[in-house]
Amino acid sequence: MKTALITGASRGIGNAIALEFLEKGYSVIGTATTEAGAAELTKIGVNGRVLDLNNVDSIDQFWQKLEEDGEIVSLLINNAGITRDNIVLRMSDEEWSDIMNVHLNGTFQLCKRSLKMMLKSKWGRIINISSASASIGNRGQSNYAAAKAGVEAFTKSLAKEVGKRDITINAVAPGFISTDMTQNNDGVNADYLIKEIPLGRFGEPGEVANLVSFLCSEQASYITGQTIHINGGLYM
Ligand code: NAP
């Protein structure tokens, strides 16, 4: 049974991916930032673990335990994410660096470590969750958009490095998906945003999970280095 590692599996899109992968019969390691979050994951059949991508020691400890337990990661879904929105003139160094740490450094750290296992197995699938913000830009999200654009460029470069070993790596860029991350939009803002979406609604986490699942399947074996958009037509 292949093992999938999904970061940020405790809520939202990551949780939907974890449930989808359990249903597909994978062994699933899912992360949360707290012991309580990890315990909730374990209750639903996921191997729940604590990981804070904003903390290098946490990444080291998480990975050391994974290796001690003899886990071999075949599928990696870099999904964990945060926002620290502010306009550039008011953005603190911390708001900038938190975003770079969680999205860009976190993706690099876990890709590098998982790849060593995938190269040995001569097979692997990596999906990096990006965002439509990387392509469109977004006022108040320069940090987030820059990190996600970095994730997409990283994805292409890594795809070129490891393609010959039957390892594919793609990015998935959602538009507005109904999760805690988009809950901050008040009603008026949400109505305005929905008018901009040709399908007339926010997406559901399960719809993103379906796409991720397809990209990890054998049916997607000739797709690598791509950013696949899923946004109800918001960005074309
Ligand atoms: P969410 O519901 O807010 O869930 C975020 C997940 O990331 C949680 O599992 C959270 O763990 C984890 N996390 C937060 N900080 C972390 C850290 N420092 N280290 C490790 N894990 C951390 O978010 P979501 O909407 O599902 O977003 C998932 C991904 O999709 C993100 O990369 C996001 O940027 C991207 N995305 C989302 C949307 C959208 O509309 N929702 C659109 C485009 C892209 P805890 O539960 O322990 O806090």
Side-chain angles (χ1 to χ4, degrees), residues 8 10-11 13 33 52-53 79 82 130 144 148 174-175 177 179 182:
S10 43
R11 292 184 283 127
I13 294 169
T33 60
D52 178 1
L53 291 168
N79 163 81
I82 53 169
S130 180
Y144 182 81
K148 292 298 200 185
I177 308 298
T179 69
T182 47

